[in-house]
Each structure stands twice: as structure tokens, then as C-alpha cells.
Amino acid sequence: MSAQDSTPLLTLQGVHAHYGKSHILHGIDLSVGRGEVVSLLGRNGAGRSTTMKSIMGLVDVTAGRIAMQGRDITNRRPFEIARAGLGFVPEEREVFANLTVDENLRMGMQPARSDAPAWTVDQMFDYFPRLKERRATRAGNLSGGEQQMLTMCRSLLGNPKVMLIDEPTEGLAPKIVEVIADVIRDIHRRGVSVVLVEQKLTIALKVSTRVSVMGHGRIVFEGPPPALQERQDVVQEWLAV
Ligand SMILES: Nc1ncnc2c1ncn2[C@@H]1O[C@H](COP(=O)(O)OP(=O)(O)OP(=O)(O)O)[C@@H](O)[C@H]1O
Ligand SMILES: [Mg+2]
């Protein structure tokens, strides 16, 4: 299942989105195949999170189409989109503060699917032994890094075909950043496709099979990581800070 092929799992065609009267996404085209890790790169405000929220039904799509394995999911309700096989780890770590780590993990569990790997709580604890130590702790008392791990695990326990992960390493210590990068590589290896927003270019280039650079709500470059590294003009214009 981890072999890379060109069968598109998730496709966005000409997606537009607004917040009130502000026109944010201006025709996003994106396709994610099986076995791919696609990074959405760009500066602050480029529209990366809005793209993910549009996919998840958390922001209204005002034009265009989003499909999962050919099935239209545009503007469906978030739970229906999750049921179609999409997992989301938002920028704001979303834990149930009053529930324990164990209870949070159980909230994420979904039945196994025939065409996606099935995950267990023990596998989550193998990835993040720290969470096992804290399994009886209320999630609200976890550190930011631990909450990030918990959010990723809860989403993974939904057995997604595609995981959307928004800035998983933001604000984390270098050691945890490496652990999270390893986990992303491993879930990819086991057959989950990933769409990643990652501010750290070195990490994004290391884990991605393809990158899409966004600027002002548009895709301004798309290609494999080595192709981006050859385009220092793109890096300078759209990524350098
Ligand atoms: N809830 C909102 N209401 C109004 N405007 C918003 C809202 N959320 C985002 N925006 C605006 O939409 C644009 C795109 O934001 P988005 O969050 O998608 O950017 P991003 O690429 O994820 O960058 P970052 O996360 O670094 O801010 C920005 O100009 C932002 O100010
Ligand atoms: Mg964002």
C-alpha cells in the first residue's frame, strides 16, 4: 500500500474561499496520490490553513470542487468528510482539556477501513512513550508538545487515508521536532498520504514527495523537492523571510 502511484486520492480543482468579503483562495488546484506527502509551503497568510479548512468543510468553498477518490466532498459537513477518510490535525492543538490522554485517544477511534492502515493505541504509545507515561493525565495539563502529539495520535486513530497536518512542529523543541518528522515519515511508509503545512523548509523538503508553494491564495510553484531547490528565484520570492 505504501508504493507511490498516481491514483489521485484527494483532488482540489479551482477552489475559491472567502472570509466574509475577503477573497482568500483564488483557484487552488491540488492532487494527492496514494503514498504521497505533499507540503504546502508559503509565508504567513499565504492561505495554507484556509486550504486545509476548505478541504475539511470548516470554511465555505465559494467556487470549485473537492473530491475524495472521485466522490464530491465540497462543503460537506466535517464529520462526513472525516468519514470519507480524511484526518485533520489543526494548527491550534485540539485536545479535550478535561479528558485524560487515554480518553482523548479513544475519542478518535474509528472502525478499520479496507484501504487504509488500522492503528492501535499501543502503536501511538510506541511513537510517543511520553503519552503513555501521561495516559491518566488530563490533556489540559500537558505541555504544548505533548498536546501536539496527542492531537496527531487522535487523528491517526481515525484510520485516515489522507492526513492533513498543519504546522505540527511550531514552537516545539528541536528534539521533539525530529520525533514528529520521524512519525510523519513512518505513517507515510505505512501507506497514509499526507498533506503537510510546515514552516521549516529543511523538514518539509526531507519528508515530502512533492511541494506546492502558495502565495496570496494561489499555487505559484509545484514540483518535487529537488525541483524547488533548483528554483532559488521561487524560494526568494515566496519563501524567504
Ligand atoms: N477567520 C478568519 N477571518 C478573516 N480572515 C482570516 C481568517 N483566517 C485567516 N484569515 C486571513 O486569510 C489569509 C490566509 O490565512 P491562512 O490562515 O490560510 O494563512 P496561512 O498560510 O495558514 O498562514 P499562517 O498560518 O502562517 O498565518 C490571511 O490573510 C488571514 O489574515
Ligand atoms: Mg496557517
Side-chain angles (χ1 to χ4, degrees), residues 43-50 53 91-92 166-167 197 199:
R43 290 205 185 92
N44 295 112
R48 299 160 303 163
S49 297
T50 305
K53 289 177 188 162
E91 220 170 349
E92 317 78 27
D166 196 350
E167 302 216 35
V197 171
Q199 201 66 39

Side-chain angles (χ1 to χ4, degrees), residues 14 19 37 47 80 88 101 106-107 118 136 157 177 195:
Y19 289 113
V37 177
E80 291 178 279
F88 182 37
V101 167
R106 260 181 275 140
M107 296 287 289
L157 286 169
V177 170
V195 182

Side-chain angles (χ1 to χ4, degrees), residues 12-96:
L12 280 72
Q13 290 170 310
V15 167
H16 289 250
H18 294 69
Y19 289 113
K21 284 184 180 150
S22 324
H23 192 172
I24 306 294
L25 298 184
H26 297 262
I28 300 296
D29 295 314
L30 189 73
S31 111
V32 183
R34 269 195 199 284
E36 284 202 292
V37 177
V38 178
S39 280
L40 295 179
L41 305 177
R43 290 205 185 92
N44 295 112
R48 299 160 303 163
S49 297
T50 305
T51 301
M52 287 192 163
K53 289 177 188 162
S54 306
I55 297 168
M56 292 312 295
L58 299 168
V59 165
D60 240 13
V61 172
T62 46
R65 182 175 188 269
I66 303 176
M68 182 69 180
Q69 294 175 297
R71 237 188 72 215
D72 192 349
I73 56 164
T74 321
N75 292 330
R76 290 293 169 78
R77 284 181 292 176
F79 79 89
E80 291 178 279
I81 294 169
R83 207 184 278 159
L86 282 147
F88 182 37
V89 183
E91 220 170 349
E92 317 78 27
R93 289 140 197 175
E94 269 182 358
V95 297
F96 299 98

